Amino acid sequence: MAANDEDISRTAQSTTQRAYLALRDAILSGEIAPGERLKVETLKSTYATGASPVREALSLLTSDQLVERRDQRGFRVAQASKEQFEEILNLRCKLEDLALQTSLMKATKEWEDRLVLAHHHMSRAYNAPAKEFEEHHKAFHMALISACESPILLRFCDQLYSLNVRYRNFAGKSKGYAKRDVAEEHNEIFQAAVDRDTTRASELLASHYRITGNYLVDLLTIS
Amino acid sequence: MAANDEDISRTAQSTTQRAYLALRDAILSGEIAPGERLKVETLKSTYATGASPVREALSLLTSDQLVERRDQRGFRVAQASKEQFEEILNLRCKLEDLALQTSLMKATKEWEDRLVLAHHHMSRAYNAPAKEFEEHHKAFHMALISACESPILLRFCDQLYSLNVRYRNFAGKSKGYAKRDVAEEHNEIFQAAVDRDTTRASELLASHYRITGNYLVDLLTIS
DNA sequence: TAACAATAAAATAACGATATTATTAAACGT
DNA sequence: ACGTTTAATAATATCGTTATTTTATTGTTA
């Protein structure tokens, strides 16, 4: 569910989709804290909808590992920990590396065009509101690996990306973050990708994740 | 959702869980064909339950990629294709290899005990009913990687395993299958694992998958 | 500690609105 | 005038709402 739903986030047809996206947003942004109970009754009124869409949305979020279901005891926001953050970081490095290499191997003209556009749009959004930048940032990272021709792997990466966003938000919007030299790192990755320099792109992407990760891990207030 | 629910399959408390497991079983076994519509009304009577549990179960199966949801057009069993089978095969090799290596690296005494038992139970079940063997077979493969200390990765592997089971059932219960020399392959993998021979275990596991995969791909009746 | 009361989750049922699919009838061109 | 296409209608099913019941957990009090 985490995959390819962003495009319809605005025009979400079904109430279930709207509830799912709104709730996910609230959890990823930290608006609802880890461990907090998610009572269907409360959510019903918050999102002005019935019980069925809420319960379905919660079910979907359970599969995204953003919500935990304790049998007969309702739903709660998934717990977060430094260990999990490191697990996610690690898996992202491994899985995206795999996806990136495959993607570069199978790269097409259309893929390159998609990447160029995604990179351009992200570049123009560094100073945009966090939420808007986030969208473009994700689009760029997904574009990199989008030629790997493995929908399942892409879905896993998408899911991991979302989980990671949550931790990034836990670390707070410390000013320096986006400024550091993320932009330059992105540029180098982008360049290596269009050059089809697989090994260099791989290294750059992994180091990009590890640098950001180590930077974030110190800011995490959770255990 | 695909993960760690087997242990409660018998004593499934909630109706939702029961419906989920029953439906998943029906899909994995091929009892319900790919593309077939899943009408809530029909399922309600089939599984003797209400609409809410059925819809929640379908939502969960959507996240497992076993069911597709088309907006306003209800649910259908996920499509299957030779391409997807190969994708799953590939991903399984890559992800389980990663998990296996990590698992062997972090192997503990408890892990070894778990593995020994799982292998023993599987060995005694080669001639048991398919469903029973399947349970032990999965337990063995999961035990191999269970020390990797990455719940998310384990969940991915679990999901892929399930998806793969579906294709194995598509190929039909051709007699020769379990007999081939799967048993011997399992034994060798097992031995390499307890010996902590990472490279050998990796190679054996991958070749185990590829051999079985190539064997199955010819039997697949689908495109 | 045990029994009881309060709370909330899980499930059922009945209903209404909306969208899709199937059927039928009319219009059109060859 | 016939067959094909198009349009309108009817039937079906999904989606969502609301209300109610059952059941399990939690909190309180003797």
Side-chain angles (χ1 to χ4, degrees), chain A residues 27-166:
Chain A
I27 295 173
L28 290 183
S29 71
E31 190 185 317
I32 315 182
E36 200 168 318
R37 292 204 59 185
L38 295 164
K39 304 190 198 182
V40 180
E41 283 303 314
T42 315
L43 297 174
K44 255 173 49 177
S45 46
T46 307
Y47 297 105
T49 177
S52 323
V54 168
R55 292 185 66 97
E56 266 187 75
L58 287 170
S59 288
L60 293 173
L61 288 166
T62 298
S63 298
D64 289 343
Q65 315 224 46
L66 290 172
V67 163
E68 284 166 3
R69 162 179 239 161
R70 290 168 62 192
D71 205 81
Q72 238 78 26
R73 248 171 290 183
F75 301 90
R76 2 176 47 103
V77 177
Q79 222 58 58
S81 66
K82 232 168 218 182
E83 291 78 52
Q84 196 190 45
F85 175 67
E86 269 153 18
E87 183 196 353
I88 292 164
L89 185 62
N90 236 317
L91 268 183
R92 285 231 300 156
C93 288
K94 296 279 172 52
L95 295 203
E96 289 206 25
D97 182 56
L98 168 61
L100 181 62
Q101 293 196 27
T102 319
S103 191
L104 288 186
M105 213 167 68
K106 306 194 174 178
T108 62
K109 188 90 191 62
E110 294 74 42
W111 164 81
E112 190 169 322
D113 291 351
R114 276 202 306 277
L115 182 62
V116 169
L117 283 180
H119 179 256
H120 177 68
H121 293 150
M122 180 182 64
S123 300
R124 309 202 61 161
Y126 278 114
N127 293 313
K131 207 152 250 172
E132 194 188 325
F133 173 72
E134 183 51 49
E135 235 172 81
H136 294 295
H137 183 236
K138 178 174 187 172
F140 171 68
H141 276 285
M142 292 306 289
L144 275 169
I145 61 177
S146 67
C148 77
E149 288 182 331
S150 178
I152 300 177
L153 179 56
L154 285 175
R155 196 171 175 285
F156 287 164
C157 289
D158 190 307
Q159 234 174 285
L160 287 169
Y161 187 96
S162 289
L163 287 174
N164 191 60
V165 166
R166 186 160 171 246

Side-chain angles (χ1 to χ4, degrees), chain B residues 11-115:
Chain B
T11 48
Q13 304 85 335
S14 63
T15 319
T16 299
Q17 280 297 318
R18 271 203 310 277
Y20 168 74
L21 292 169
L23 250 174
R24 193 177 66 153
D25 226 55
I27 295 174
L28 291 184
S29 72
E31 190 184 318
I32 315 182
E36 198 167 320
R37 292 204 59 184
L38 294 164
K39 305 190 196 182
V40 181
E41 284 301 316
T42 313
L43 298 173
K44 254 172 52 175
S45 45
T46 307
Y47 297 106
T49 177
S52 326
V54 168
R55 292 186 51 157
E56 264 186 79
L58 288 170
S59 287
L60 293 172
L61 288 165
T62 299
S63 298
D64 289 344
Q65 315 225 49
L66 290 171
V67 163
E68 284 166 5
R69 162 178 239 159
R70 291 168 63 194
D71 206 82
Q72 238 76 24
R73 248 172 287 182
F75 300 89
R76 4 177 46 103
V77 177
Q79 221 58 58
S81 67
K82 233 166 215 181
E83 291 78 51
Q84 196 190 43
F85 175 67
E86 269 151 18
E87 184 197 351
I88 292 165
L89 186 62
N90 238 317
L91 268 183
R92 287 231 301 156
C93 288
K94 294 281 170 52
L95 296 203
E96 289 207 24
D97 182 58
L98 168 61
L100 182 62
Q101 293 196 27
T102 318
S103 190
L104 289 186
M105 213 168 67
K106 305 194 175 181
T108 62
K109 188 89 192 59
E110 293 75 41
W111 164 81
E112 189 168 324
D113 290 353
R114 276 201 306 276
L115 180 63

